[in-house]
């Protein structure tokens, strides 16, 4: 019988064979149940899993700190399964036998972030060779009608796993998660492609990067948002692809370079938080804040106080729709900042408006929010998360005025508990 170390074995513990072609599978094929080698490896996998999950088997000799929480690990297993860890442990200084060495995960990652649940999922594969179902609390959203096959939490979780697998050098996982991310690119909304594009760029996944660039290039995603979100070389490739593609003049009118230059100056002034310069540029030119999509841009990228100052200028329509059919409130929902949403409602933003593809600001928020964030309380255990607070504000606004258009809402009419929660969050953030 082949051993675990023999290269001729088709069931090498370090291969991706255990996933049997499906991420999330936790079972071996029934036809393999009678194979003694498969049964033995399955038992070994389950036994090793106890080192992670069973407190009675805590024989860890090191800790990796993830989001401030120590995770006990066994250096011998990590070194055997990952070249990154093998090199890391070689370089470590001698530490007292009574003290476990500690490593910060964020110091291992030159780009991207990997949360606690994603790292535990990654470790589970390292120890067991199996890819389990994703934890629902961080890989699904709180929209009850979502299939969770391409919503933002599902994408974000796989993006985190890709960063971990690539940087920590587990190539079979890189291949598996790259296939999953490739499937997301065509199914999800184009704004959700950007985090996939960034992980492909940072991890040098050429095929995935090219697919993301092509998808963004044929979308109507705002040019200046692309330049803000992605590396300059990628933005230039997208720009060139768009120039090469034929455009329908009726649906995509060509914007003159002179107009683009004026828009760029306004948006750069917003980036600099220079409200007076924004006002001056708008006053001295024939372009409006709406034509520049200035409010849309501001609610995504500007400080909340700057957003309030821009709104106070009364130079833009808070219910103005951009070329994609999104109002300013729809963009604010993507930001998930309660004070900005309240500022827009104060100025008459209609929470009942739908995008051209039938989504309200609440729908957008719910598709962006996972159950963990929705239900998590703050450190003091009294306040909901910002995402939950944003959803509550919008849902209450809709219940009060489900069909109201163009009726400014006064902040004094907001329920007192929401006002108190917002004030608490603002103080906590200062």
């Amino acid at each position: 019988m082949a051993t675990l170390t023999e290269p001729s074995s088709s069931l090498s513990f370090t291969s991706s064979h255990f996933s049997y072609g499906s991420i999330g599978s936790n079972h071996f094929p029934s036809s393999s149940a009678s194979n003694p080698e498969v049964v033995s490896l399955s038992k070994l996998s389950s036994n090793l899993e106890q080192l992670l999950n069973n407190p009675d088997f805590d024989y860890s000799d090191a800790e990796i700190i993830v989001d401030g929480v120590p995770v006990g690990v066994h250096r011998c297993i990590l070194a055997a399964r990952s070249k990154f860890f093998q090199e890391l442990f070689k370089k470590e200084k001698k530490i007292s036998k009574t003290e476990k060495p500690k490593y910060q995960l964020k110091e291992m990652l030159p780009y991207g972030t990997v949360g606690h649940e994603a790292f535990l999922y990654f470790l589970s594969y390292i120890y067991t060779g199996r890819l389990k179902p994703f934890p629902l609390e961080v890989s699904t959203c709180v929209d009850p009608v979502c299939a969770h096959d391409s919503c933002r939490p599902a994408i974000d979780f796989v993006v985190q796993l890709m960063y971990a697998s690539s940087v920590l050098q587990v190539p079979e996982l890189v291949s598996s998660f790259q296939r999953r991310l490739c499937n997301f690119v065509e199914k999800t909304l184009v704004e959700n492609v950007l985090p996939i594009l960034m992980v492909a760029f940072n991890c040098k996944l050429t095929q995935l990067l090219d697919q993301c660039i092509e998808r963004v290039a044929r979308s109507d995603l705002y040019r200046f948002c692309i330049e803000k979100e992605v590396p300059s070389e990628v933005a230039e490739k997208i720009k060139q692809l768009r120039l090469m593609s034929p455009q329908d003049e009726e649906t995509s009118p060509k914007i003159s370079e002179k107009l683009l230059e004026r828009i760029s100056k306004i948006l750069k002034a917003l980036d600099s938080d220079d409200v007076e310069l924004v006002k001056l540029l708008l006053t001295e030119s024939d372009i409006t804040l709406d034509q520049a999509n200035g409010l849309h841009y501001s609610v995504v990228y500007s400080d909340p106080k700057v957003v309030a100052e821009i709104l106070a200028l009364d130079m833009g329509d808070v219910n103005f729709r951009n070329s994609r059919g999104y109002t300013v409130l729809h963009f604010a929902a993507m930001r998930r900042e309660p004070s900005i949403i309240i500022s827009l409602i104060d100025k008459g933003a209609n929470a009942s408006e739908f995008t051209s593809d039938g989504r309200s600001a609440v729908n957008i928020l719910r598709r962006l929010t996972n159950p963990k964030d929705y239900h998590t309380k703050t450190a003091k255990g009294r306040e909901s998360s910002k995402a939950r607070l944003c959803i509550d504000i919008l849902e209450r606004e809709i219940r009060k005025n489900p069909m109201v258009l163009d009726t400014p809402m006064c902040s004094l009419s907001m329920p007192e508990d929401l006002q108190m929660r917002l004030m608490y969050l603002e103080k906590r953030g200062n």
Side-chain angles (χ1 to χ4, degrees):
M1 180 183 293
T3 66
L4 288 177
T5 57
E6 289 177 351
S8 61
S9 173
S10 63
L11 293 168
S12 169
F13 185 67
T14 60
S15 76
S16 59
H17 193 83
F18 282 104
S19 68
Y20 287 94
S22 175
I23 291 180
S25 173
N26 193 27
H27 303 283
F28 290 94
S30 57
S31 59
S32 301
S34 59
N35 186 323
E37 186 173 5
V38 171
V39 172
S40 177
L41 289 175
S42 177
K43 186 174 181 180
L44 173 61
S45 175
S46 298
N47 289 342
L48 288 173
E49 187 173 24
Q50 293 187 74
L51 294 175
L52 283 176
N53 300 333
N54 191 335
D56 294 333
F57 285 75
D58 182 14
Y59 303 111
S60 60
D61 61 359
E63 291 181 344
I64 296 178
I65 312 301
V66 188
D67 293 340
V69 179
V71 177
V73 297
H74 306 77
R75 282 175 291 172
C76 57
I77 294 179
L78 267 57
R81 300 281 277 147
S82 161
K83 193 170 184 179
F84 175 92
F85 283 114
Q86 184 182 64
E87 295 299 321
L88 175 67
F89 299 148
K90 275 183 183 179
K91 295 176 183 177
E92 71 177 7
K93 297 178 181 179
K94 291 184 179 180
I95 299 177
S96 169
K97 293 182 179 180
T98 61
E99 181 183 356
K100 289 183 182 180
K102 293 179 173 58
Y103 306 89
Q104 292 285 344
L105 181 62
K106 62 183 179 182
E107 294 177 1
M108 301 177 190
L109 302 172
Y111 36 68
T113 58
V114 177
H116 189 258
E117 290 82 4
F119 186 66
L120 289 182
Y121 186 95
F122 170 82
L123 278 185
S124 176
Y125 176 81
I126 292 294
Y127 277 69
T128 70
R130 296 181 182 179
L131 287 167
K132 295 184 172 184
F134 291 157
L136 297 180
E137 69 272 13
V138 290
S139 64
T140 62
C141 70
V142 293
D143 185 343
V145 300
C146 181
H148 308 305
D149 59 347
S150 60
C151 57
R152 186 59 175 266
I155 291 171
D156 286 345
F157 190 71
V158 181
V159 164
Q160 291 179 52
L161 290 172
M162 176 58 84
Y163 276 122
S165 303
S166 176
V167 175
L168 305 181
Q169 299 180 30
V170 184
E172 65 269 26
L173 283 184
V174 172
S175 297
S176 293
F177 295 133
Q178 182 169 213
R179 288 194 297 271
R180 177 64 68 95
L181 291 172
C182 284
N183 289 334
F184 282 140
V185 172
E186 293 302 325
K187 294 170 65 175
T188 191
L189 297 167
V190 66
E191 51 264 29
N192 293 338
V193 174
L194 296 181
I196 304 176
L197 185 154
M198 288 306 301
V199 74
F201 176 82
N202 289 324
C203 297
K204 297 179 172 56
L205 306 171
T206 305
Q207 178 185 349
L208 179 60
L209 179 60
D210 289 343
Q211 185 181 355
C212 291
I213 290 174
E214 194 276 333
R215 170 72 200 282
V216 175
R218 58 183 162 82
S219 76
D220 54 0
L221 196 61
Y222 197 35
R223 165 182 169 173
F224 295 100
C225 290
I226 293 172
E227 293 175 354
K228 184 84 172 178
E229 296 282 350
V230 306
S232 57
E233 60 196 89
V234 175
E236 184 60 28
K237 287 183 180 180
I238 293 170
K239 178 182 176 181
Q240 294 304 317
L241 282 175
R242 285 181 166 181
L243 291 174
M244 293 168 57
S245 302
Q247 290 184 330
D248 183 341
E249 293 295 333
E250 292 185 4
T251 59
S252 302
K254 188 175 180 180
I255 302 177
S256 69
E257 287 299 321
K258 187 175 182 180
L259 185 59
L260 285 173
E261 184 180 347
R262 291 175 180 174
I263 292 174
S264 178
K265 287 181 179 179
I266 293 169
L267 300 186
K268 285 180 180 178
L270 286 171
D271 285 337
S272 301
D273 296 341
D274 195 336
V275 178
E276 287 301 317
L277 179 57
V278 171
K279 183 178 180 180
L280 180 64
L281 291 170
L282 291 171
T283 303
E284 295 185 349
S285 70
D286 57 354
I287 189 171
T288 67
L289 192 61
D290 293 337
Q291 288 174 319
N293 287 315
L295 287 180
H296 290 77
Y297 188 90
S298 180
V299 299
V300 175
Y301 299 116
S302 299
D303 183 272
K305 292 181 180 179
V306 174
V307 174
E309 291 177 17
I310 294 294
L311 289 172
L313 296 177
D314 288 326
M315 301 181 78
D317 178 5
V318 291
N319 290 306
F320 177 77
R321 292 178 178 272
N322 68 1
S323 60
R324 302 179 63 209
Y326 285 63
T327 68
V328 181
L329 192 59
H330 294 144
F331 267 49
M334 299 177 196
R335 173 79 174 266
R336 288 179 282 185
E337 174 56 56
S339 60
I340 291 178
I341 289 176
I342 289 172
S343 293
L344 289 172
I345 290 174
D346 287 347
K347 282 293 184 178
N350 182 14
S352 300
E353 288 279 7
F354 289 88
T355 62
S356 55
D357 57 358
R359 295 180 300 137
S360 68
V362 170
N363 295 143
I364 292 172
L365 267 164
R366 285 189 168 275
R367 289 288 175 102
L368 290 171
T369 307
N370 63 47
K372 180 185 176 184
D373 288 343
Y374 185 76
H375 296 293
T376 295
K377 301 293 183 180
T378 60
K380 293 187 178 181
R382 295 197 304 267
E383 301 299 325
S384 301
S385 67
K386 283 193 174 185
R388 174 66 177 268
L389 183 52
C390 288
I391 292 172
D392 288 348
I393 291 168
L394 287 170
E395 288 184 340
R396 294 191 185 201
E397 186 66 23
I398 291 172
R399 284 196 296 269
K400 286 193 305 178
N401 300 280
M403 300 302 293
V404 173
L405 302 172
D406 307 325
T407 302
M409 304 306 303
C410 177
S411 61
L412 294 177
S413 66
M414 183 178 302
E416 184 179 354
D417 60 327
L418 283 182
Q419 286 185 319
M420 295 300 293
R421 289 158 68 188
L422 177 62
M423 290 172 61
Y424 172 77
L425 283 172
E426 288 179 338
K427 289 178 181 178
R428 195 162 56 93
N430 292 332

